């Protein structure tokens, strides 16, 4: 499997629910390497660019309002097939379809408040990483386990 980088974001509400540590622990325990992380409040232009594919949909304005409403934790995760692995770990977009055991399945009751974002393709990952991070903010490191895989 090829090593990939993907973009993830803990959405507003995660910090106020005081579950950011739990969610990040689940990402680490799965085996992703966190290679960049940033606590921030997304400026509206950034949120609009991030969700540009949804512009014009009924939920778009509310989505941008929500994403800019409070602190987020933006991260870049690295690992084998990281993009699809993270999507599976997060679970379905729709709250009622997100399986128990997935992050959304375990922590979210509403689709609009589904607590975590994960890039849906290699193109999205590259675009989203570039929106939120400069190359110098991404730290290349190895945990030393590569030789066992
Ligand atoms: P994704 O986050 O699983 O990639 P997308 O379809 O890209 O799902 O939608 C982006 C975000 O917009 C979702 O995570 C969710 O928060 C919100 N969203 C998507 N569809 C709806 C909807 O039908 N109602 C309300 N919010 C939605
Ligand atoms: Mg998406």
């Amino acid at each position: 499997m090829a090593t990939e980088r993907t973009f993830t974001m803990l959405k507003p509400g995660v910090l106020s629910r005081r579950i950011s540590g739990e969610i990040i622990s689940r990402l680490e325990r799965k085996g992703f390497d966190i290679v960049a992380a940033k606590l921030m409040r997304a400026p509206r232009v950034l949120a609009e660019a991030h969700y540009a594919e949804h512009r014009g949909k009924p939920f778009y304005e509310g989505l941008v309002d929500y994403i800019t409403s409070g602190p987020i934790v933006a991260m870049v995760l690295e690992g084998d097939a990281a993009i699809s692995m993270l999507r599976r770990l997060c679970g379905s977009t729709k709250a009622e379809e997100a399986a128990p055991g997935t992050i959304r399945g375990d922590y979210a009751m509403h689709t609009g408040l589904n607590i975590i974002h994960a890039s849906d393709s290699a193109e999205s990952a590259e675009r989203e990483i570039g929106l939120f991070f400069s190359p110098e903010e991404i730290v290349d490191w190895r945990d030393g386990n590569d030789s066992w895989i």
Side-chain angles (χ1 to χ4, degrees):
M1 274 189 287
T3 299
E4 295 173 345
R5 284 180 175 171
T6 190
F7 175 72
T8 189
M9 167 173 77
L10 307 186
K11 297 183 181 181
V14 170
L15 281 173
S16 51
R17 288 171 68 186
R18 287 164 166 74
I19 54 171
S20 60
E22 277 177 46
I23 308 295
I24 292 170
S25 280
R26 290 174 67 144
L27 302 174
E28 288 187 294
R29 286 205 313 248
K30 174 67 180 172
F32 294 105
D33 296 337
I34 301 171
V35 296
K38 193 191 291 193
L39 174 68
M40 64 188 293
R41 186 151 177 166
R44 196 163 185 94
V45 284
L46 176 59
E48 287 176 349
H50 176 66
Y51 283 124
E53 67 179 295
H54 298 301
R55 196 183 299 266
K57 293 182 185 169
F59 60 86
Y60 173 76
E61 289 298 330
L63 176 62
V64 173
D65 286 347
Y66 165 53
I67 288 299
T68 55
S69 70
I72 60 170
V73 181
M75 287 176 278
V76 180
L77 303 182
E78 189 174 276
D80 289 343
I83 298 164
S84 60
M85 289 267 205
L86 182 64
R87 289 288 291 189
R88 286 171 62 80
L89 191 65
C90 290
S92 297
T93 305
K94 292 198 183 310
E96 64 274 24
E97 292 171 11
T102 64
I103 294 172
R104 287 169 169 174
D106 288 351
Y107 291 91
M109 285 287 280
H110 305 280
T111 300
L113 306 173
N114 59 8
I115 87 155
I116 189 166
H117 169 83
S119 304
D120 64 6
S121 65
E123 296 70 32
S124 299
E126 188 179 352
R127 191 183 76 84
E128 293 166 0
I129 290 169
L131 279 174
F132 283 83
F133 291 97
S134 60
E136 315 81 73
E137 291 176 308
I138 300 174
V139 179
D140 205 15
W141 62 276
R142 296 283 167 270
D143 63 12
N145 290 330
D146 295 15
S147 58
W148 299 99
I149 298 172

